[in-house]
Amino acid sequence: MGHIASNKNDLLKRVKRIAGQIQAVERALESDLDCAKTLHLVAATRGAINGLMEEIIEDHAREHVANPALSEEERNKGVEELLEAIRRYSK
């Protein structure tokens, strides 16, 4: 995934924000925070993870599926990798 290196800092910032959101969920559970507020925290975290996943899927699709310089074999491999990631994510 060398192509991700160009966007690495932005992706790492997103991951750090997600880590902070996960920590907020943990604190909410430890402190018996109102369940509605805890649900809101979990929903926000899921949204952030979905956004990260979307960005990485898009990068992968552009670089490993749609790139016209790829051979048919490389393109097929990129599609299979993408489908496997989507299958795992949707379970």
Side-chain angles (χ1 to χ4, degrees):
M1 281 210 266
H3 60 90
I4 286 185
S6 64
N7 202 16
K8 181 178 175 178
N9 288 335
D10 290 339
L11 292 173
L12 286 172
K13 286 177 189 176
R14 289 181 87 149
V15 168
K16 288 177 183 181
R17 281 194 300 272
I18 291 167
Q21 289 174 300
I22 294 290
Q23 291 171 349
V25 171
E26 182 180 15
R27 286 190 303 273
L29 292 171
E30 288 174 342
S31 66
D32 295 325
L33 188 67
D34 178 353
C35 65
K37 291 179 182 177
T38 303
L39 284 169
H40 179 76
L41 290 170
V42 172
T45 303
R46 182 176 181 187
I49 290 172
N50 286 345
L52 176 65
M53 184 70 168
E54 180 181 315
E55 187 169 345
I56 294 173
I57 283 174
E58 184 176 328
D59 287 347
H60 182 86
R62 291 185 190 283
E63 189 66 30
H64 298 286
V65 179
N67 185 339
L70 295 173
S71 69
E72 189 66 27
E73 182 179 331
E74 290 170 320
R75 191 179 318 278
N76 288 338
K77 181 180 181 221
V79 168
E80 289 305 316
E81 290 169 341
L82 184 57
L83 292 174
E84 179 60 26
I86 292 170
R87 280 186 208 107
R88 286 176 179 230
Y89 187 72
S90 63
K91 287 185 180 182

